[in-house]
Amino acid sequence: MTDTDTIFGKIARGDIPADIVYEDDEVVAFRDLNPQAPTHVLIIPRKPIPTLNDATEEDAPLIGKLLLAAARLAKEFGFAEDGYRTVVNCNANGGQTVYHLHVHLIGGRPLQWPPG
Ligand code: DGP
């Protein structure tokens, strides 16, 4: 099994469906199946990087694009000014369950800090 065999790799390749809200050559964004807020989107690179620990200097522009996509989507969804949260979970203690790097974009209601 390769990294591309995660569920997110399959979504990025179009092998399984998702509610895609943005995509380009390098990035895909789709709605989370288990939303934690009125808007909960996952933003992934098409490149299958398993965790943030696996990202290299070469990936810096790509990771920047994930965050810029989050900010752009927050504006499009209309909650950029009110505020929102971006989260990258890493490995077991971070709560990562899908081993294809992703940024959660969560917004549309006030969010507690610190999270649980
Ligand atoms: P994390 O815990 O950071 O690895 O987040 C994984 C998220 O992925 C979790 O919030 C639920 C979501 N998820 C899991 N499987 C699927 C799926 O098949 N489709 C979609 N759209 N989201 C999924």
Side-chain angles (χ1 to χ4, degrees), residues 1-2 11 30 35 39 45 50 53-54 63 80 99-100 110 112:
M1 188 163 124
T2 66
I11 288 172
F30 52 93
T39 298
N53 291 341
D54 302 300
I63 290 169
Y99 283 79
H100 183 125
Q112 255 192 313

Side-chain angles (χ1 to χ4, degrees), residues 76-97:
E76 285 177 25
F77 287 123
F79 54 66
E81 292 306 317
D82 284 344
Y84 56 92
R85 185 167 296 157
T86 53
V87 175
V88 178
N89 295 327
C90 185
N91 280 340
N93 280 5
Q96 185 172 8
T97 58

Side-chain angles (χ1 to χ4, degrees), residues 7-8 11 16-19 30-34 36 40 42 87-90 94-99 102 104:
I7 199 92
F8 292 176
I11 288 172
I16 64 163
D19 187 352
F30 52 93
R31 290 186 193 273
D32 194 295
L33 265 190
N34 183 26
Q36 303 301 310
H40 186 165
L42 302 169
V87 175
V88 178
N89 295 327
C90 185
Q96 185 172 8
T97 58
V98 180
Y99 283 79
H102 49 282
H104 294 254

Side-chain angles (χ1 to χ4, degrees), residues 44-64:
I44 70 169
R46 289 192 188 275
K47 179 179 176 182
I49 301 167
T51 79
L52 192 57
N53 291 341
D54 302 300
T56 65
E57 282 297 320
E58 180 187 290
D59 298 317
L62 181 57
I63 290 169

